Amino acid sequence: MGAAGGRPGFYVGLGLALASSAFIGGSFILKKKGLLRLCRRGRARAGQGGHAYLQEWLWWAGLLCMGVGEAANFAAYAFAPATLVTPLGALSVLVSAVLSSTFLNEQLNAHGKIGCILSILGSTVMVIHAPQEEEVSSLESMAEKLKDPGFIVFAVCVLVSSLLLIFVAGPRYGQSNVLVYVLVCSAIGSLSVSCVKGLGIALKELFSGKPVLKEPLGWVLLVCLVICISVQINYLNKALDIFNTSVVTPVYYVLFTTSVMMCSAILFKEWQHMVLDNIIGTISGFLTIVSGIFLLHAFRDMPFTPDLLPLFLQQGRTDLHASWRSADRHQSCQHQPLLPSDDKGSQSAEEEEEEEGESV
């Protein structure tokens, strides 16, 4: 086992990450319920530029849940490895899908249910094999890690590649390739998670009575976090405006989580002391979550009908129905005579004589 067998702080971070997914997933349902109530009342919709939702208490309850969820997610990075906290964010999608089918009467097809099961299984595997990151208990140790040559090279590569995507690839391929703007969000997002991790450590020191506000690193991390989040929001909105949400969401989740795992492995040395079975378990759990999210989003609007079954199953289904119909038309074998009747026998003899006469 990875970090799960270590310090109690790991379980605190795990609990905060799970609570964050529950609150964020539920916030979408509360906001949607509030908007639907306004629509039934004939009020101006948000998509048409209306702001009547500001007078709806359900919408404010959803916003409050969103704030609580984001705060719990922020705090989780201070206790648990980022390689664990970030993939568990996929559970908010699962919570939202399940609650929407229950309270909003939105259909969750067979693909979505299989995707939910895969997400739960993948999250469980990742928790069991979660990596053990190096202990970072102060801003001084965080500053030492930020000076590591490996992380500096990684940060420079992220910034250079993001600038190339924004100014070179964006004008040429941004309107036709979903990877351009999503890659910008994912690469910059890996740096924002590092900033969140450092600010979480600063808050822990602040609550313990240390003079953190006099440390310049905390303020630098805060400014970098604001810049990174602004860039993420800008280019994520561009991607959502150009491409379908069912395409952007799984692609963004995969690329963002992969970038965060790479950054955490370089900055916090999470994979340095892991044994082979934990490495395989972590990667397998992540890929299982990716498969579940893909099924949940890519086939969300596709109804599951028997026509989607493989051909050999469809053939078997057709043969079975045909046999049932033929059984309904004919009588049971118990009521049929075992020997042919005399009429049938004489009729067959006459037919044979006629055939012999024609041959002659």
Side-chain angles (χ1 to χ4, degrees):
M1 235 176 139
R7 61 191 185 283
F10 171 85
Y11 297 102
V12 175
L14 175 61
L16 288 171
L18 295 176
S20 171
S21 298
F23 277 106
I24 293 176
S27 69
F28 292 109
I29 307 304
L30 290 173
K31 287 183 178 181
K32 184 69 174 180
K33 290 281 286 185
L35 294 174
L36 290 176
R37 287 181 60 177
L38 291 174
C39 183
R40 287 195 297 266
R41 295 174 187 171
R43 307 293 293 274
R45 302 181 63 177
Q48 300 172 349
H51 297 87
Y53 57 85
L54 295 176
Q55 302 175 2
E56 177 58 50
W57 69 270
L58 274 176
W59 186 88
W60 283 105
L63 184 64
L64 179 62
C65 284
M66 177 71 76
V68 173
E70 292 295 344
N73 187 65
F74 181 91
Y77 282 106
F79 294 96
T83 305
L84 173 69
V85 176
T86 303
L88 287 182
L91 294 180
S92 63
V93 181
L94 185 150
V95 171
S96 178
V98 173
L99 293 180
S100 63
S101 65
T102 304
F103 296 102
L104 298 178
N105 297 324
E106 295 183 1
Q107 192 66 27
L108 186 63
N109 57 17
H111 302 94
K113 293 176 182 178
I114 296 174
C116 292
I117 295 173
L118 288 177
S119 298
I120 294 174
L121 292 176
S123 301
T124 304
V125 172
M126 287 205 71
V127 170
I128 294 174
H129 298 279
Q132 176 77 53
E133 67 182 9
E134 290 186 358
E135 185 69 26
V136 183
S137 57
S138 63
L139 283 179
E140 288 79 8
S141 58
M142 184 69 184
E144 292 297 326
K145 290 190 173 298
L146 292 175
K147 296 176 183 177
D148 185 76
F151 177 74
I152 294 175
V153 172
F154 174 80
V156 171
C157 292
V158 166
L159 294 176
V160 172
S161 60
S162 299
L163 291 175
L164 291 175
L165 288 170
I166 292 172
F167 295 107
V168 178
R172 297 181 181 179
Y173 311 107
Q175 301 293 323
S176 59
N177 195 327
V178 68
L179 293 177
V180 176
Y181 293 137
V182 175
L183 276 173
V184 175
C185 301
S186 304
I188 298 298
S190 64
L191 299 180
S192 66
V193 169
S194 302
C195 296
V196 168
K197 189 81 173 178
L199 289 174
I201 296 171
L203 288 177
K204 288 170 64 176
E205 286 191 324
L206 181 63
F207 292 146
S208 63
K210 296 182 180 179
V212 178
L213 297 178
K214 298 180 180 180
E215 294 288 338
L217 179 60
W219 297 105
V220 171
L221 292 175
L222 180 60
V223 173
C224 292
L225 178 62
V226 172
I227 295 174
C228 291
I229 291 178
S230 301
V231 174
Q232 282 182 263
I233 293 175
N234 181 36
Y235 287 97
L236 183 59
N237 287 334
K238 285 189 176 183
L240 290 173
D241 185 53
I242 298 171
F243 303 99
N244 197 328
T245 306
S246 61
V247 176
V248 175
T249 303
V251 173
Y252 175 66
Y253 171 78
V254 173
L255 294 179
F256 174 70
T257 307
T258 304
S259 301
V260 171
M261 292 173 67
M262 290 176 58
C263 182
S264 300
I266 295 172
L267 182 61
F268 299 106
K269 308 295 188 297
E270 293 179 350
W271 302 74
Q272 187 172 357
H273 304 292
M274 289 181 67
V275 294
L276 181 61
D277 58 344
N278 285 333
I279 294 176
I280 296 175
T282 302
I283 296 175
S284 301
F286 172 61
L287 294 178
T288 305
I289 296 175
V290 169
S291 303
I293 294 297
F294 177 78
L295 285 176
L296 191 60
H297 279 274
F299 304 101
R300 180 176 54 188
D301 300 325
M302 179 182 294
F304 187 82
T305 61
D307 296 336
L308 298 176
L309 293 173
L311 292 177
F312 70 92
L313 291 178
Q314 292 186 26
Q315 184 66 31
R317 178 172 167 268
T318 304
D319 295 342
L320 182 62
H321 280 230
S323 64
W324 286 347
R325 292 194 189 96
S326 62
D328 291 338
R329 292 196 196 100
H330 301 288
Q331 294 179 351
S332 175
C333 295
Q334 296 176 356
H335 301 286
Q336 294 179 356
L338 297 178
L339 297 175
S341 61
D342 296 335
D343 295 335
K344 290 182 180 180
S346 60
Q347 184 177 2
S348 61
E350 291 175 358
E351 290 176 356
E352 290 178 0
E353 291 177 358
E354 291 177 0
E355 291 177 358
E356 290 177 357
E358 291 176 357
S359 61
V360 173

